[in-house]
Amino acid sequence: MTIGEGHRLDVTAIRKDFPILETTVYGYPLVYLDNAATTQKPLVVLNAMDEYYRTINSNVHRGVHHLSQEATEACEAARGIVAEFINARYAHEVIFTRGTTESINLVAACFGKRFLKEGDSILVSGMEHHSNIVPWQMLCEERGARLQVIPIDEHGELELEGLDRMLADGVKLVAFNYVSNALGTINPAKELIAAAHRHGIPVLLDAAQAVQHMEVDVRDLDVDFLAFSSHKLYGPTGIGVLYGKEEWLNKLPPYQGGGEMIKTVTFEKTTYNDLPFKFEAGTPDMAGMIGLGAAIRYVQALGLDRIRSAEHELMEYALDTLREIDGFRLIGPVDTRHRAGVISFLVGDIHPFDMGEILDQQGIAVRTGHHCAQPVMDRYCIPGTVRASMAVYNTAAEMDRLAAGIRKAVTLLG
Protein backbone atom coordinates (compact mmCIF):
# COMPACT_ATOMS: atom_id res chain seq x y z
CA MET A 1 0.00 0.00 0.00
CA THR A 2 1.34 3.42 -0.98
CA ILE A 3 -0.05 6.62 0.44
CA GLY A 4 1.99 9.11 -1.52
CA GLU A 5 4.20 11.92 -0.34
CA GLY A 6 3.50 15.03 1.70
CA HIS A 7 -0.16 15.67 2.29
CA ARG A 8 -1.51 14.07 -0.89
CA LEU A 9 -2.72 10.54 -1.38
CA ASP A 10 -1.55 8.38 -4.28
CA VAL A 11 -5.02 7.36 -5.47
CA THR A 12 -3.61 5.30 -8.34
CA ALA A 13 -1.74 3.15 -5.83
CA ILE A 14 -4.71 3.02 -3.47
CA ARG A 15 -6.98 1.70 -6.23
CA LYS A 16 -4.68 -1.33 -6.61
CA ASP A 17 -5.63 -2.31 -3.05
CA PHE A 18 -9.26 -2.85 -4.15
CA PRO A 19 -9.57 -5.78 -6.62
CA ILE A 20 -13.25 -5.11 -7.37
CA LEU A 21 -12.37 -1.80 -9.01
CA GLU A 22 -11.01 -3.80 -11.97
CA THR A 23 -14.57 -4.96 -12.71
CA THR A 24 -16.30 -4.04 -15.97
CA VAL A 25 -20.05 -3.44 -16.18
CA TYR A 26 -21.76 -3.69 -19.59
CA GLY A 27 -18.32 -3.37 -21.16
CA TYR A 28 -17.39 -0.22 -19.23
CA PRO A 29 -14.83 0.06 -16.40
CA LEU A 30 -16.73 0.25 -13.12
CA VAL A 31 -17.22 3.69 -11.58
CA TYR A 32 -18.35 2.91 -8.04
CA LEU A 33 -20.15 5.87 -6.46
CA ASP A 34 -22.41 4.06 -3.98
CA ASN A 35 -20.00 4.27 -1.07
CA ALA A 36 -22.51 5.71 1.39
CA ALA A 37 -24.37 2.39 1.08
CA THR A 38 -21.22 0.28 1.41
CA THR A 39 -17.56 0.77 0.60
CA GLN A 40 -15.37 -1.72 -1.23
CA LYS A 41 -12.83 -3.78 0.73
CA PRO A 42 -9.04 -3.58 0.42
CA LEU A 43 -6.86 -6.66 0.19
CA VAL A 44 -5.58 -6.22 3.74
CA VAL A 45 -9.13 -6.71 5.05
CA LEU A 46 -9.84 -9.69 2.79
CA ASN A 47 -6.52 -11.28 3.74
CA ALA A 48 -7.01 -10.73 7.48
CA MET A 49 -10.39 -12.49 7.41
CA ASP A 50 -9.09 -15.29 5.22
CA GLU A 51 -6.12 -15.82 7.56
CA TYR A 52 -8.45 -16.02 10.56
CA TYR A 53 -10.54 -18.77 8.98
CA ARG A 54 -7.49 -20.62 7.69
CA THR A 55 -5.33 -20.50 10.81
CA ILE A 56 -7.14 -19.71 14.10
CA ASN A 57 -10.86 -20.31 13.52
CA SER A 58 -12.31 -21.08 16.94
CA ASN A 59 -14.86 -19.72 19.39
CA VAL A 60 -13.62 -16.96 21.66
CA HIS A 61 -13.53 -16.31 25.42
CA ARG A 62 -14.62 -19.83 26.32
CA GLY A 63 -11.90 -22.28 25.39
CA VAL A 64 -8.63 -23.16 27.10
CA HIS A 65 -7.16 -24.68 23.95
CA HIS A 66 -4.61 -22.89 21.79
CA LEU A 67 -6.81 -21.86 18.87
CA SER A 68 -9.45 -20.38 21.16
CA GLN A 69 -6.81 -18.38 22.99
CA GLU A 70 -5.37 -17.04 19.71
CA ALA A 71 -8.83 -16.15 18.38
CA THR A 72 -9.67 -14.38 21.65
CA GLU A 73 -6.45 -12.38 21.54
CA ALA A 74 -7.07 -11.36 17.92
CA CYS A 75 -10.66 -10.27 18.59
CA GLU A 76 -9.80 -8.35 21.74
CA ALA A 77 -6.95 -6.68 19.84
CA ALA A 78 -9.58 -5.54 17.32
CA ARG A 79 -11.64 -4.09 20.17
CA GLY A 80 -8.57 -2.16 21.28
CA ILE A 81 -8.06 -0.85 17.74
CA VAL A 82 -11.64 0.45 17.66
CA ALA A 83 -11.25 2.06 21.10
CA GLU A 84 -8.08 3.81 19.97
CA PHE A 85 -9.71 4.88 16.68
CA ILE A 86 -12.55 6.73 18.40
CA ASN A 87 -10.45 7.65 21.48
CA ALA A 88 -12.61 5.75 23.96
CA ARG A 89 -11.33 5.88 27.52
CA TYR A 90 -11.63 2.10 27.95
CA ALA A 91 -11.74 -0.81 25.51
CA HIS A 92 -14.71 -2.25 27.39
CA GLU A 93 -16.74 0.78 26.30
CA VAL A 94 -16.71 -0.75 22.79
CA ILE A 95 -19.57 -3.19 22.15
CA PHE A 96 -19.57 -5.23 18.94
CA THR A 97 -22.94 -5.41 17.19
CA ARG A 98 -24.17 -6.31 13.69
CA GLY A 99 -24.02 -2.66 12.61
CA THR A 100 -25.35 0.82 13.24
CA THR A 101 -28.96 -0.35 13.12
CA GLU A 102 -28.49 -2.92 15.86
CA SER A 103 -26.45 -0.48 17.93
CA ILE A 104 -29.30 2.06 17.87
CA ASN A 105 -31.89 -0.62 18.59
CA LEU A 106 -29.81 -1.83 21.53
CA VAL A 107 -29.81 1.62 23.13
CA ALA A 108 -33.49 2.17 22.36
CA ALA A 109 -34.47 -1.14 23.96
CA CYS A 110 -32.21 -0.95 27.00
CA PHE A 111 -32.47 2.79 27.70
CA GLY A 112 -36.22 2.75 27.15
CA LYS A 113 -36.75 -0.19 29.50
CA ARG A 114 -34.88 1.57 32.29
CA PHE A 115 -35.51 5.28 31.83
CA LEU A 116 -38.45 6.16 29.55
CA LYS A 117 -41.97 6.60 30.90
CA GLU A 118 -45.30 7.91 29.69
CA GLY A 119 -45.22 11.58 28.71
CA ASP A 120 -41.43 11.68 28.15
CA SER A 121 -39.86 12.59 24.80
CA ILE A 122 -37.10 11.39 22.50
CA LEU A 123 -35.61 14.09 20.27
CA VAL A 124 -34.25 13.29 16.80
CA SER A 125 -33.35 15.42 13.80
CA GLY A 126 -35.34 15.82 10.61
CA MET A 127 -32.58 14.28 8.48
CA GLU A 128 -32.28 10.87 10.12
CA HIS A 129 -31.94 7.50 8.43
CA HIS A 130 -34.93 5.28 9.15
CA SER A 131 -32.77 3.27 11.54
CA ASN A 132 -32.56 6.34 13.79
CA ILE A 133 -36.30 7.03 13.58
CA VAL A 134 -38.19 3.74 13.65
CA PRO A 135 -36.62 2.27 16.84
CA TRP A 136 -37.52 5.45 18.72
CA GLN A 137 -41.04 5.46 17.28
CA MET A 138 -41.52 1.87 18.38
CA LEU A 139 -40.20 2.72 21.83
CA CYS A 140 -42.43 5.78 22.16
CA GLU A 141 -45.50 3.77 21.16
CA GLU A 142 -44.63 1.10 23.70
CA ARG A 143 -43.95 3.51 26.57
CA GLY A 144 -46.50 6.20 25.82
CA ALA A 145 -43.77 8.73 25.05
CA ARG A 146 -43.45 11.30 22.23
CA LEU A 147 -41.03 11.65 19.34
CA GLN A 148 -39.92 15.25 18.73
CA VAL A 149 -38.05 16.40 15.63
CA ILE A 150 -35.49 19.16 15.04
CA PRO A 151 -36.52 20.66 11.67
CA ILE A 152 -34.19 21.18 8.70
CA ASP A 153 -34.06 24.23 6.46
CA GLU A 154 -34.09 24.47 2.66
CA HIS A 155 -30.29 24.14 2.57
CA GLY A 156 -30.36 20.80 4.40
CA GLU A 157 -29.08 22.12 7.71
CA LEU A 158 -30.67 21.91 11.15
CA GLU A 159 -32.77 24.79 12.45
CA LEU A 160 -31.43 25.17 15.98
CA GLU A 161 -33.11 28.37 17.12
CA GLY A 162 -35.71 26.54 19.18
CA LEU A 163 -33.43 23.77 20.44
CA ASP A 164 -33.31 24.79 24.12
CA ARG A 165 -37.10 25.02 24.23
CA MET A 166 -37.39 21.53 22.75
CA LEU A 167 -34.81 20.11 25.15
CA ALA A 168 -36.75 21.47 28.12
CA ASP A 169 -39.91 19.63 27.04
CA GLY A 170 -39.46 16.31 28.83
CA VAL A 171 -36.68 15.02 26.55
CA LYS A 172 -34.88 11.99 27.99
CA LEU A 173 -32.49 11.29 25.11
CA VAL A 174 -31.32 13.01 21.91
CA ALA A 175 -30.38 10.93 18.84
CA PHE A 176 -29.03 12.40 15.60
CA ASN A 177 -26.53 11.72 12.84
CA TYR A 178 -23.11 13.29 12.54
CA VAL A 179 -23.35 13.22 8.73
CA SER A 180 -26.60 12.79 6.80
CA ASN A 181 -26.61 9.79 4.49
CA ALA A 182 -29.15 11.47 2.17
CA LEU A 183 -27.71 15.01 2.07
CA GLY A 184 -24.10 14.75 3.21
CA THR A 185 -24.75 17.48 5.80
CA ILE A 186 -22.14 17.62 8.57
CA ASN A 187 -24.07 18.44 11.72
CA PRO A 188 -22.59 20.53 14.57
CA ALA A 189 -22.35 17.49 16.80
CA LYS A 190 -20.25 18.98 19.58
CA GLU A 191 -22.56 21.98 19.88
CA LEU A 192 -25.68 19.80 19.97
CA ILE A 193 -24.21 17.43 22.54
CA ALA A 194 -23.20 20.32 24.79
CA ALA A 195 -26.69 21.80 24.55
CA ALA A 196 -28.27 18.48 25.54
CA HIS A 197 -25.86 18.06 28.44
CA ARG A 198 -26.76 21.49 29.79
CA HIS A 199 -30.22 20.00 30.29
CA GLY A 200 -28.80 16.77 31.73
CA ILE A 201 -29.84 14.76 28.64
CA PRO A 202 -27.68 11.95 27.17
CA VAL A 203 -26.97 11.80 23.44
CA LEU A 204 -26.65 9.01 20.89
CA LEU A 205 -24.66 9.98 17.79
CA ASP A 206 -25.06 8.01 14.55
CA ALA A 207 -21.56 8.17 13.05
CA ALA A 208 -22.14 5.66 10.24
CA GLN A 209 -21.45 8.29 7.58
CA ALA A 210 -18.72 10.12 9.52
CA VAL A 211 -15.98 7.75 10.66
CA GLN A 212 -14.76 7.03 7.11
CA HIS A 213 -14.47 10.71 6.23
CA MET A 214 -13.14 12.48 9.32
CA GLU A 215 -11.81 12.07 12.83
CA VAL A 216 -14.43 11.14 15.42
CA ASP A 217 -13.22 11.57 19.00
CA VAL A 218 -15.82 10.44 21.53
CA ARG A 219 -14.06 12.14 24.45
CA ASP A 220 -13.69 15.45 22.66
CA LEU A 221 -17.34 15.28 21.59
CA ASP A 222 -18.30 14.11 25.12
CA VAL A 223 -20.94 11.90 23.50
CA ASP A 224 -22.72 9.28 25.63
CA PHE A 225 -23.40 6.70 22.90
CA LEU A 226 -22.01 6.41 19.38
CA ALA A 227 -22.81 3.92 16.62
CA PHE A 228 -21.16 3.02 13.32
CA SER A 229 -20.87 0.16 10.83
CA SER A 230 -17.81 -1.62 9.54
CA HIS A 231 -19.00 -2.00 5.96
CA LYS A 232 -19.04 1.77 5.33
CA LEU A 233 -15.47 1.96 6.66
CA TYR A 234 -13.85 -0.40 4.13
CA GLY A 235 -14.52 -3.34 6.47
CA PRO A 236 -16.78 -6.41 6.26
CA THR A 237 -20.55 -6.48 6.49
CA GLY A 238 -22.39 -7.84 9.52
CA ILE A 239 -20.24 -6.15 12.16
CA GLY A 240 -20.55 -2.74 13.81
CA VAL A 241 -19.86 -0.83 16.97
CA LEU A 242 -21.75 0.71 19.83
CA TYR A 243 -19.62 2.93 22.02
CA GLY A 244 -21.07 3.91 25.36
CA LYS A 245 -19.63 5.75 28.32
CA GLU A 246 -18.87 3.22 31.04
CA GLU A 247 -21.30 4.80 33.50
CA TRP A 248 -24.16 4.64 31.01
CA LEU A 249 -23.47 1.07 29.91
CA ASN A 250 -23.42 -0.01 33.55
CA LYS A 251 -26.83 1.58 34.09
CA LEU A 252 -28.49 -0.21 31.18
CA PRO A 253 -29.96 -3.73 31.43
CA PRO A 254 -28.73 -6.39 28.97
CA TYR A 255 -30.08 -6.37 25.42
CA GLN A 256 -30.26 -10.13 24.84
CA GLY A 257 -29.92 -13.21 26.99
CA GLY A 258 -27.70 -16.18 26.23
CA GLY A 259 -24.13 -17.31 26.38
CA GLU A 260 -21.23 -15.00 27.27
CA MET A 261 -23.40 -12.24 28.76
CA ILE A 262 -23.71 -14.07 32.09
CA LYS A 263 -21.56 -14.80 35.13
CA THR A 264 -23.81 -17.38 36.76
CA VAL A 265 -27.13 -18.99 35.83
CA THR A 266 -29.51 -20.91 38.07
CA PHE A 267 -33.22 -21.51 37.57
CA GLU A 268 -33.79 -19.01 40.36
CA LYS A 269 -31.51 -16.14 39.26
CA THR A 270 -28.94 -15.04 36.69
CA THR A 271 -26.10 -12.60 37.33
CA TYR A 272 -24.82 -10.69 34.33
CA ASN A 273 -21.29 -10.40 33.03
CA ASP A 274 -19.08 -7.32 33.14
CA LEU A 275 -18.63 -4.91 30.22
CA PRO A 276 -18.40 -5.37 27.30
CA PHE A 277 -19.68 -8.97 27.42
CA LYS A 278 -22.92 -8.01 29.16
CA PHE A 279 -24.13 -6.77 25.73
CA GLU A 280 -22.53 -9.45 23.53
CA ALA A 281 -24.74 -12.52 23.92
CA GLY A 282 -23.87 -15.53 21.79
CA THR A 283 -20.99 -16.30 19.46
CA PRO A 284 -19.72 -13.05 17.92
CA ASP A 285 -18.61 -12.44 14.36
CA MET A 286 -14.94 -13.11 15.02
CA ALA A 287 -13.79 -12.73 11.41
CA GLY A 288 -15.79 -9.51 11.17
CA MET A 289 -14.14 -8.08 14.27
CA ILE A 290 -10.70 -8.88 12.87
CA GLY A 291 -11.67 -7.49 9.46
CA LEU A 292 -12.89 -4.26 11.03
CA GLY A 293 -9.62 -3.92 12.92
CA ALA A 294 -7.70 -4.36 9.65
CA ALA A 295 -9.92 -1.78 7.92
CA ILE A 296 -9.28 0.78 10.66
CA ARG A 297 -5.54 0.20 10.45
CA TYR A 298 -5.77 0.71 6.68
CA VAL A 299 -7.59 4.03 7.10
CA GLN A 300 -5.16 5.13 9.81
CA ALA A 301 -2.21 4.38 7.53
CA LEU A 302 -3.73 6.61 4.85
CA GLY A 303 -4.55 9.29 7.41
CA LEU A 304 -8.05 10.64 7.98
CA ASP A 305 -6.78 14.18 7.46
CA ARG A 306 -5.47 13.20 4.01
CA ILE A 307 -8.66 11.33 3.22
CA ARG A 308 -10.84 14.28 4.15
CA SER A 309 -8.69 16.70 2.16
CA ALA A 310 -8.70 14.47 -0.94
CA GLU A 311 -12.46 13.86 -0.77
CA HIS A 312 -13.18 17.55 -0.24
CA GLU A 313 -11.08 18.47 -3.27
CA LEU A 314 -12.80 15.79 -5.34
CA MET A 315 -16.25 16.95 -4.26
CA GLU A 316 -15.52 20.54 -5.23
CA TYR A 317 -14.27 19.38 -8.62
CA ALA A 318 -17.35 17.22 -9.13
CA LEU A 319 -19.77 19.98 -8.17
CA ASP A 320 -18.04 22.49 -10.46
CA THR A 321 -18.42 19.97 -13.30
CA LEU A 322 -22.00 18.94 -12.53
CA ARG A 323 -23.28 22.50 -12.15
CA GLU A 324 -22.54 23.05 -15.84
CA ILE A 325 -25.30 20.56 -16.72
CA ASP A 326 -28.62 22.21 -17.58
CA GLY A 327 -31.25 21.42 -14.97
CA PHE A 328 -28.80 20.15 -12.34
CA ARG A 329 -30.21 20.70 -8.84
CA LEU A 330 -28.13 20.02 -5.75
CA ILE A 331 -30.11 18.84 -2.72
CA GLY A 332 -28.58 19.77 0.64
CA PRO A 333 -25.77 22.11 1.71
CA VAL A 334 -24.29 24.30 -0.99
CA ASP A 335 -21.17 25.05 1.08
CA THR A 336 -18.89 22.01 0.73
CA ARG A 337 -17.42 22.74 4.18
CA HIS A 338 -20.77 21.57 5.57
CA ARG A 339 -20.91 18.44 3.38
CA ALA A 340 -19.06 15.12 3.50
CA GLY A 341 -18.89 12.33 0.96
CA VAL A 342 -22.26 12.77 -0.74
CA ILE A 343 -23.64 14.65 -3.73
CA SER A 344 -27.42 14.24 -3.79
CA PHE A 345 -29.08 15.73 -6.86
CA LEU A 346 -31.84 15.85 -9.46
CA VAL A 347 -31.68 16.86 -13.12
CA GLY A 348 -34.69 18.59 -14.62
CA ASP A 349 -37.80 16.44 -14.52
CA ILE A 350 -35.91 13.15 -14.91
CA HIS A 351 -36.96 10.60 -12.30
CA PRO A 352 -34.03 9.43 -10.15
CA PHE A 353 -34.67 5.76 -11.03
CA ASP A 354 -34.49 6.53 -14.76
CA MET A 355 -31.26 8.47 -14.28
CA GLY A 356 -29.79 5.62 -12.23
CA GLU A 357 -30.61 3.03 -14.89
CA ILE A 358 -29.01 5.06 -17.69
CA LEU A 359 -25.90 5.59 -15.56
CA ASP A 360 -25.74 1.89 -14.70
CA GLN A 361 -25.79 1.03 -18.40
CA GLN A 362 -22.59 3.09 -18.65
CA GLY A 363 -20.91 1.25 -15.76
CA ILE A 364 -21.60 4.00 -13.21
CA ALA A 365 -23.00 2.80 -9.86
CA VAL A 366 -25.01 5.40 -7.96
CA ARG A 367 -27.89 5.09 -5.49
CA THR A 368 -31.38 6.34 -6.33
CA GLY A 369 -34.53 6.75 -4.24
CA HIS A 370 -35.21 8.03 -0.76
CA HIS A 371 -32.05 6.50 0.78
CA CYS A 372 -33.99 5.26 3.83
CA ALA A 373 -34.67 8.89 4.67
CA GLN A 374 -38.23 9.46 3.47
CA PRO A 375 -38.89 12.43 5.79
CA VAL A 376 -36.01 14.26 4.10
CA MET A 377 -37.58 13.73 0.69
CA ASP A 378 -40.95 14.84 2.06
CA ARG A 379 -39.27 18.03 3.31
CA TYR A 380 -38.25 18.87 -0.27
CA CYS A 381 -41.46 17.50 -1.86
CA ILE A 382 -39.49 15.15 -4.09
CA PRO A 383 -39.74 11.36 -4.65
CA GLY A 384 -36.04 10.84 -4.12
CA THR A 385 -32.63 11.84 -5.44
CA VAL A 386 -29.66 10.46 -7.30
CA ARG A 387 -26.84 10.04 -4.79
CA ALA A 388 -23.22 9.89 -5.84
CA SER A 389 -21.11 9.12 -2.79
CA MET A 390 -17.34 9.17 -2.78
CA ALA A 391 -14.56 7.20 -1.17
CA VAL A 392 -10.79 7.41 -0.98
CA TYR A 393 -10.35 5.48 -4.26
CA ASN A 394 -12.51 7.72 -6.46
CA THR A 395 -10.92 10.00 -9.05
CA ALA A 396 -11.54 13.20 -11.01
CA ALA A 397 -11.71 11.08 -14.18
CA GLU A 398 -14.63 9.20 -12.64
CA MET A 399 -16.37 12.50 -11.89
CA ASP A 400 -15.95 13.38 -15.56
CA ARG A 401 -17.54 10.05 -16.51
CA LEU A 402 -20.42 10.77 -14.13
CA ALA A 403 -21.02 14.14 -15.76
CA ALA A 404 -20.84 12.64 -19.25
CA GLY A 405 -23.21 9.87 -18.19
CA ILE A 406 -25.73 12.40 -16.87
CA ARG A 407 -25.56 14.37 -20.11
CA LYS A 408 -26.24 11.18 -22.05
CA ALA A 409 -29.25 10.50 -19.81
CA VAL A 410 -30.52 14.04 -20.45
CA THR A 411 -30.19 13.47 -24.20
CA LEU A 412 -32.06 10.16 -24.01
CA LEU A 413 -34.74 11.20 -21.52
CA GLY A 414 -34.92 14.98 -21.80
Side-chain angles (χ1 to χ4, degrees):
M1 180 181 68
T2 303
I3 62 174
E5 299 179 358
H7 297 289
R8 299 187 67 83
L9 293 172
D10 185 346
V11 179
T12 301
I14 288 170
R15 288 179 64 85
K16 294 177 182 177
D17 295 331
F18 295 84
I20 201 169
L21 299 182
E22 298 298 317
T23 301
T24 58
V25 177
Y26 301 122
Y28 294 92
L30 171 67
V31 174
Y32 187 78
L33 295 173
D34 194 19
N35 296 288
T38 195
T39 51
Q40 299 303 335
K41 320 307 172 193
L43 283 167
V44 290
V45 170
L46 303 177
N47 291 340
M49 297 176 70
D50 182 67
E51 183 180 3
Y52 163 78
Y53 280 124
R54 287 179 181 275
T55 64
I56 61 170
N57 178 45
S58 181
N59 214 325
V60 292
H61 303 136
R62 306 172 191 179
V64 296
H65 61 81
H66 177 74
L67 287 185
S68 180
Q69 293 296 314
E70 284 207 350
T72 297
E73 289 174 7
C75 289
E76 290 308 311
R79 194 188 308 274
I81 290 170
V82 174
E84 172 199 322
F85 181 59
I86 60 175
N87 196 30
R89 189 177 300 276
Y90 307 111
H92 60 249
E93 294 178 317
V94 171
I95 311 299
F96 285 115
T97 66
R98 290 181 299 150
T100 305
T101 297
E102 185 174 51
S103 295
I104 295 170
N105 275 271
L106 188 160
V107 176
C110 300
F111 183 90
K113 184 184 298 184
R114 181 62 53 87
F115 294 106
L116 200 68
K117 64 183 187 301
E118 186 174 354
D120 290 339
S121 297
I122 299 291
L123 181 63
V124 300
S125 90
M127 63 177 72
E128 297 308 311
H129 188 282
H130 294 166
S131 63
N132 206 22
I133 299 173
V134 178
W136 306 113
Q137 283 182 329
M138 294 169 67
L139 175 62
C140 287
E141 289 173 4
E142 176 187 328
R143 309 295 288 188
R146 297 174 297 145
L147 187 70
Q148 295 197 69
V149 181
I150 305 169
I152 58 175
D153 64 21
E154 62 183 20
H155 302 297
E157 300 189 38
L158 295 178
E159 296 180 353
L160 300 177
E161 293 79 5
L163 180 61
D164 279 325
R165 174 185 52 77
M166 298 184 79
L167 290 169
D169 190 18
V171 173
K172 296 299 181 183
L173 184 136
V174 178
F176 67 96
N177 57 41
Y178 204 158
V179 175
S180 164
N181 75 300
L183 303 173
T185 308
I186 303 173
N187 285 316
K190 193 170 182 177
E191 176 187 338
L192 284 167
I193 293 164
H197 285 175
R198 285 195 295 271
H199 291 263
I201 302 168
V203 176
L204 180 145
L205 184 63
D206 173 358
Q209 300 291 342
V211 290
Q212 66 275 52
H213 299 300
M214 57 202 206
E215 182 180 342
V216 176
D217 184 328
V218 294
R219 282 196 271 176
D220 179 62
L221 291 167
D222 195 27
V223 69
D224 304 284
F225 302 101
L226 179 135
F228 66 91
S229 298
S230 163
H231 71 99
K232 300 178 191 294
L233 182 61
Y234 308 101
T237 57
I239 188 77
V241 168
L242 171 67
Y243 158 82
K245 286 181 179 176
E246 180 184 58
E247 57 267 35
W248 273 112
L249 292 176
N250 280 328
K251 291 177 184 177
L252 300 185
Y255 180 48
Q256 296 176 320
E260 194 60 40
M261 52 75 65
I262 55 90
K263 282 186 176 179
T264 62
V265 175
T266 69
F267 285 113
E268 290 71 36
K269 183 174 177 58
T270 293
T271 57
Y272 303 129
N273 209 341
D274 297 326
L275 297 176
F277 309 115
K278 170 183 166 184
F279 294 102
E280 292 182 351
T283 298
D285 181 357
M286 286 87 72
M289 295 160 72
I290 291 166
L292 172 56
I296 289 173
R297 287 297 189 225
Y298 181 84
V299 167
Q300 289 175 322
L302 295 178
L304 276 167
D305 55 342
R306 296 182 186 214
I307 291 172
R308 185 170 187 179
S309 176
E311 289 179 346
H312 182 81
E313 183 178 324
L314 185 62
M315 182 179 295
E316 289 194 321
Y317 175 83
L319 285 173
D320 286 345
T321 304
L322 295 174
R323 285 188 177 112
E324 296 177 357
I325 298 171
D326 288 342
F328 176 82
R329 177 188 174 192
L330 181 67
I331 307 297
V334 175
D335 189 339
T336 56
R337 293 173 299 178
H338 300 168
R339 179 186 284 270
V342 167
I343 297 175
S344 202
F345 66 92
L346 295 169
V347 180
D349 294 327
I350 298 174
H351 196 282
F353 293 157
D354 295 333
M355 176 65 74
E357 286 188 0
I358 298 298
L359 291 174
D360 178 55
Q361 291 166 14
Q362 300 171 75
I364 303 166
V366 294
R367 181 67 51 140
T368 63
H370 54 65
H371 317 299
C372 294
Q374 285 181 291
V376 174
M377 304 305 143
D378 292 342
R379 168 64 180 81
Y380 291 101
C381 301
I382 55 178
T385 66
V386 182
R387 185 184 71 187
S389 49
M390 288 165 283
V392 69
Y393 40 66
N394 290 125
T395 66
E398 290 180 321
M399 299 304 106
D400 291 338
R401 278 192 57 194
L402 173 64
I406 293 170
R407 287 192 172 93
K408 182 174 181 179
V410 171
T411 300
L412 293 173
L413 302 172

